Amino acid sequence: MSRIQPSTVAVAIVGAGASALITGKTLLNDGFDNLTLITRDSTPGGTWAGERVYPALRLNNVHGEYHFSSLPMPGVGASRLKGSQLTDYMESFAGQYLKGHIRFRTEVINVRRPNALETIIESEVGEGWIMTVRNLKDGSTEELKFDKIVLCTGGCSEPNIPTELQPPSSLQIPVIHSSKFWVNVENIVPSLQSTDGGSSPTVVLVGGGKSTQDIAAFLCKKGIRTKVVFETADSFISAPDWLPAFLRRSRLMSIMSPTIDLRSRLERFLHKTRIGSMIVQSYWESLQSNSFNLLKIPRDSPLRRTHSVFWSIRVNDESYATDSFFTLCTEGKIELIAPTRVIGYGHDGRSVLLKSGETIPADAVILGTGYGSSWERLFDKQTADDIGLNRTIPDSFEKWDYETLKNPPAARPKNEQWALSIYRGLVPAKSILRHDLAINGAVFSSNNGYTFEAAAHWISSYFLRDPFLKLPSSVEAAMAETARVAAFVQQRYPNMLLWTSDSYSANIVFFGWPQYVDQLLEDMSLPSVRSGGNWLTWAFSTVSVEELKTLKNERGSKRDTTHQSL
């Protein structure tokens, strides 16, 4: 099949966060000039948009790896970056590479095909997409036509409030999801601060995650009585910021994490032998123990009741600070109510109800209850089913006989598990032959900048139908591979798919992101393991997004060579 002419193709990217920005730049560089990024926000950045970034926010990653190869990130390597630095970077990137291609304050209401989907065949010209959008400035709606779409909506835009925590009409106190706190902080805080010299109002925060911790610390430092209720807190890794790059920014952590395919002798030794397994277990246990000690967490503190660093993806990267959430808890300035959970509200209309039956008086409640899928509002159920964005019951029973995966934590029954059939986490397997729909930003990775950029090049080659891009030959083959990945994810991270939202769980690679990117590069017939090193040093060679700077030229050369040989 001949290569398409990208200048004739209308492409929409839904979202304007980091994954959308790098995907947009990559597609423009490859000739997709008729490109539009659509976002309901007023500025670029997504999670890092100026309207969402709050005071004292710092990047939860000491690497600073949330940038792209074409534009250096100021301050990388000098401790954790501030949220404001990420905002400035995203705005600078958008202004430099995507000016005139972003449509702000526009909400996507619905995405559908012009006609009902028929038998999936590979066609030169697809039927395209109809997108209904609302202009948030004047409320008007219109329908837009695109040939291809990239979903870059992420997993942190649609607040999730469990049914039992939906505030009843009888409730007399405000209930705020954590995602809405910072945009309304100027109105919320004054209403909670005591002005008559009396006792301070009490805020109850629900959940043990990062957003809850940040808000609790902020309120505490404002003199507001703060109580945090959780069953299990996020785990964390804490190490001095000055650790050398060969420890902090190498493949070491990824090698210590078992992946679906063990790609080297070292990985096979570590994860398939008893001695190697003991080394891996000692590594992760020491990492967690040393982190507790560095942050001076008392042995009897509920903060030691965390998810496993090894078995979970609920892991944060923390640094020691004299006014951090952990310090304030240790000093008794933030009250921890754990392990328990909030199951509703008290009959008095001014309290929360714990599963023990106890009630906790509250003047406000903040819910750190995570996010739902950002795809649900975009597609009706029939369309989602037809293109393959629906949940499926795992149908692969393959098991990996790794020593390091023995003795996992208890998992929920099979009939409660689910998975998505999204090939490489980038294209719904059911739509693999259509070349008109892709996803970036739905793979759970601990190095988003590197992962997003490599994925953007894969998506562009997919849209261009580059002959060197290795793809499954059929829908069935794509489905089989996604079933295999789902089986591994459920063995590697038990129950984590039940915690994530659909739009942030196309695949979970987390610490194994270098191996995941290696696979994407090899799909494109390009060299992998770009950090280099020999048989002794490769595990400690510094990984940098700069390694991806030449991908466009490499793909272009590969494309020219392939065409000359035809």
Side-chain angles (χ1 to χ4, degrees), residues 251-269:
R251 287 176 173 256
L252 177 62
M253 193 170 288
S254 67
I255 291 168
M256 288 291 182
S257 178
T259 52
I260 189 168
D261 296 305
L262 301 177
R263 303 169 63 88
S264 67
R265 289 182 179 179
L266 177 56
E267 289 167 285
R268 289 190 287 274
F269 164 73

Side-chain angles (χ1 to χ4, degrees), residues 296-325:
K296 302 179 180 179
I297 307 297
R299 292 193 175 276
D300 61 349
S301 172
L303 293 176
R304 286 186 178 246
R305 181 184 170 86
T306 66
H307 295 274
S308 166
V309 172
F310 178 81
W311 292 105
S312 173
I313 56 176
R314 298 189 62 173
V315 183
N316 300 318
D317 190 340
E318 298 288 349
S319 62
Y320 178 76
T322 56
D323 60 350
S324 72
F325 170 79

Side-chain angles (χ1 to χ4, degrees), residues 18 50 56 79 96 129 177 188 214 265 396 421-423 438 471 533 564:
S79 188
Q96 185 166 335
W129 301 92
H177 189 271
I188 295 171
D214 284 348
R265 289 182 179 179
S396 173
S421 297
I422 301 181
Y423 185 77
L471 292 173
Q564 290 171 9

Side-chain angles (χ1 to χ4, degrees), residues 186-211:
E186 293 182 357
N187 296 324
I188 295 171
V189 171
S191 67
L192 295 173
Q193 290 175 315
S194 176
T195 57
D196 58 4
S199 60
S200 174
T202 298
V203 177
V204 173
L205 296 100
V206 179
K210 188 70 170 63
S211 61

Side-chain angles (χ1 to χ4, degrees), residues 78-342:
S79 188
R80 290 164 175 77
L81 296 172
K82 296 178 181 178
S84 57
Q85 289 175 284
L86 269 294
T87 297
D88 292 344
Y89 180 84
M90 298 300 168
E91 292 181 355
S92 177
F93 190 94
Q96 185 166 335
Y97 298 113
L98 293 160
K99 190 173 182 179
H101 288 278
I102 306 179
R103 182 166 171 169
F104 295 106
R105 300 293 291 158
T106 303
E107 182 178 24
V108 178
I109 300 173
N110 177 261
V111 179
R112 67 186 188 281
R113 292 195 184 277
N115 304 300
L117 290 178
E118 299 175 353
T119 304
I120 296 176
I121 59 173
E122 187 167 12
S123 59
E124 188 73 33
V125 179
E127 57 189 322
W129 301 92
I130 298 294
M131 183 182 294
T132 305
V133 301
R134 177 184 292 114
N135 185 322
L136 296 180
K137 296 177 182 178
D138 60 20
S140 62
T141 62
E142 62 180 309
E143 289 190 344
L144 308 175
K145 174 72 166 63
F146 295 100
D147 299 300
K148 301 180 187 294
I149 288 179
V150 188
L151 301 178
C152 296
T153 53
C156 298
S157 61
E158 299 296 325
N160 173 58
I161 301 179
T163 302
E164 66 272 18
L165 296 183
Q166 293 284 349
S169 58
S170 58
L171 199 65
Q172 303 174 37
I173 55 177
V175 176
I176 307 158
H177 189 271
S178 59
S179 63
K180 304 297 183 183
F181 177 82
W182 299 107
V183 295
N184 297 296
V185 65
E186 293 182 357
N187 296 324
I188 295 171
V189 171
S191 67
L192 295 173
Q193 290 175 315
S194 176
T195 57
D196 58 4
S199 60
S200 174
T202 298
V203 177
V204 173
L205 296 100
V206 179
K210 188 70 170 63
S211 61
T212 304
Q213 294 173 6
D214 284 348
I215 295 172
F218 177 83
L219 293 174
C220 178
K221 285 182 279 189
K222 292 290 185 180
I224 297 170
R225 184 182 294 118
T226 307
K227 300 182 179 183
V228 183
V229 183
F230 61 88
E231 285 191 301
T232 308
D234 282 3
S235 56
F236 57 86
I237 295 172
S238 185
D241 289 351
W242 47 260
L243 279 180
F246 77 86
L247 289 177
R248 180 61 93 168
R249 301 177 65 188
S250 69
R251 287 176 173 256
L252 177 62
M253 193 170 288
S254 67
I255 291 168
M256 288 291 182
S257 178
T259 52
I260 189 168
D261 296 305
L262 301 177
R263 303 169 63 88
S264 67
R265 289 182 179 179
L266 177 56
E267 289 167 285
R268 289 190 287 274
F269 164 73
L270 288 171
H271 300 292
K272 300 201 76 171
T273 70
R274 183 164 296 183
I275 295 175
S277 176
M278 292 171 64
I279 294 171
V280 170
Q281 182 178 2
S282 176
Y283 172 84
W284 290 103
E285 288 178 352
S286 297
L287 203 59
Q288 188 152 37
S289 176
N290 292 338
S291 298
F292 286 144
N293 293 336
L294 184 66
L295 267 59
K296 302 179 180 179
I297 307 297
R299 292 193 175 276
D300 61 349
S301 172
L303 293 176
R304 286 186 178 246
R305 181 184 170 86
T306 66
H307 295 274
S308 166
V309 172
F310 178 81
W311 292 105
S312 173
I313 56 176
R314 298 189 62 173
V315 183
N316 300 318
D317 190 340
E318 298 288 349
S319 62
Y320 178 76
T322 56
D323 60 350
S324 72
F325 170 79
F326 298 96
T327 304
L328 295 171
C329 290
T330 300
E331 294 175 350
K333 296 178 180 178
I334 294 176
E335 182 180 347
L336 302 177
I337 303 174
T340 188
R341 65 186 180 92
V342 176

Side-chain angles (χ1 to χ4, degrees), residues 360-527:
I360 305 295
D363 295 284
V365 178
I366 296 173
L367 303 176
T369 48
Y371 295 86
S373 173
S374 56
W375 297 338
E376 290 181 359
R377 64 183 176 84
L378 302 181
F379 304 96
D380 60 52
K381 185 180 184 304
Q382 183 61 53
T383 301
D385 289 346
D386 288 341
I387 63 180
L389 279 181
N390 54 320
R391 292 184 177 189
T392 60
I393 297 175
D395 58 2
S396 173
F397 299 95
E398 184 175 352
K399 291 290 183 182
W400 282 256
D401 61 344
Y402 300 169
E403 288 289 328
T404 49
L405 292 181
K406 292 183 176 178
N407 304 313
R412 300 282 286 275
K414 279 283 186 182
N415 62 353
E416 295 183 20
Q417 301 284 354
W418 59 268
L420 297 173
S421 297
I422 301 181
Y423 185 77
R424 297 288 191 251
L426 304 177
V427 178
K430 195 173 181 179
S431 301
I432 193 73
L433 300 181
R434 288 186 174 273
H435 297 265
D436 66 354
L437 173 65
I439 303 163
N440 199 355
V443 173
F444 210 111
S445 165
S446 58
N447 190 332
N448 285 323
Y450 199 104
T451 306
F452 292 166
E453 184 159 349
H457 284 274
W458 194 101
I459 289 168
S460 190
S461 277
Y462 173 70
F463 280 174
L464 286 168
R465 302 175 185 266
D466 280 334
F468 54 81
L469 180 65
K470 302 168 187 173
L471 292 173
S473 59
S474 66
V475 169
E476 291 74 20
M479 296 285 283
E481 176 60 19
T482 60
R484 178 174 180 262
V485 170
F488 178 78
V489 168
Q490 287 166 11
Q491 186 177 348
R492 175 66 185 89
Y493 296 109
N495 297 328
M496 283 295 99
L497 283 175
L498 301 178
W499 171 69
T500 58
S501 67
D502 294 25
S503 55
Y504 204 18
S505 57
N507 192 356
I508 295 178
V509 298
F510 207 49
F511 292 126
W513 60 266
Q515 293 94 324
Y516 168 73
V517 172
D518 287 344
Q519 182 66 72
L520 298 185
L521 294 170
E522 290 166 11
D523 283 349
M524 293 182 280
S525 306
L526 301 176

